[in-house]
Amino acid sequence: MIKPTATDHARTILHLVSLIPYGCVVSYGQVADLAGLPGRARLVGHTLRRHDTEQLPWHRVVAANGRLSLPKGSHALIEQRQRLLSEGITFKGDAISGLCVAMTLHQWQPDLGAILMLFEG
DNA sequence: ATGCTGACTACTG
DNA sequence: CCAGTAGCCAGCA
């Protein structure tokens, strides 16, 4: 068994993020889990920060508590919020509303099987 | 090598 | 709901 390198992990993470459907959100931790990296949510955030992501729906990745964990005052934070709003995601204060999170999880789950097969087959 | 930082999270009080 | 804490670990100085 060859130990995956950091680059492999980054590639897997970026691919998973690219698969998040329009109007859906997932947490950093979920992406990490799907990438086979449980407990490594920070790696997901780190990866998104390092690669700049013109073609990637990075804005659909949020903190597990439904808030946006980008640096306060950053341009990226403004943009993320705006993009989510434009996709129909609703906010309650600083956090995505609970109903919305549940809906997005429901939409995400059906794709899990295909995604996992993609990475394990 | 070592120490710090951070787009994380779960747990506790 | 908020603050502190303990794990997490890839970059960077």
Side-chain angles (χ1 to χ4, degrees):
Chain A
M1 180 68 175
I2 300 168
K3 179 179 175 184
T5 67
T7 303
D8 292 331
H9 293 155
R11 201 172 62 247
T12 304
I13 288 166
L14 293 172
H15 183 68
L16 284 170
V17 171
S18 77
L19 297 179
I20 303 172
Y22 180 98
C24 298
V25 296
V26 295
S27 73
Y28 297 92
Q30 283 178 306
V31 174
D33 285 347
L34 292 178
L37 302 165
R40 298 182 59 180
R42 291 190 94 131
L43 180 59
V44 176
H46 202 76
T47 301
L48 291 181
R49 180 168 53 92
R50 294 230 340 62
H51 290 72
D52 213 339
T53 51
E54 301 270 321
Q55 311 300 329
L56 209 63
W58 56 270
H59 58 284
R60 299 181 188 141
V61 184
V62 302
N65 61 9
R67 306 178 91 169
L68 309 184
S69 51
L70 281 68
K72 200 171 90 159
S74 67
H75 171 69
L77 175 59
I78 311 275
E79 182 172 348
Q80 180 173 27
R81 186 171 176 119
Q82 188 143 47
R83 288 196 191 185
L84 290 175
L85 286 170
S86 79
E87 295 190 3
I89 306 287
T90 61
F91 284 80
K92 177 183 48 179
D94 286 341
I96 289 174
S97 76
L99 180 62
C100 193
V101 170
M103 189 189 331
T104 58
L105 287 177
H106 173 71
Q107 291 176 8
W108 172 257
Q109 291 286 352
D111 290 320
L112 276 188
I115 291 167
L116 291 176
M117 286 177 61
L118 201 61
F119 281 90
E120 293 180 3

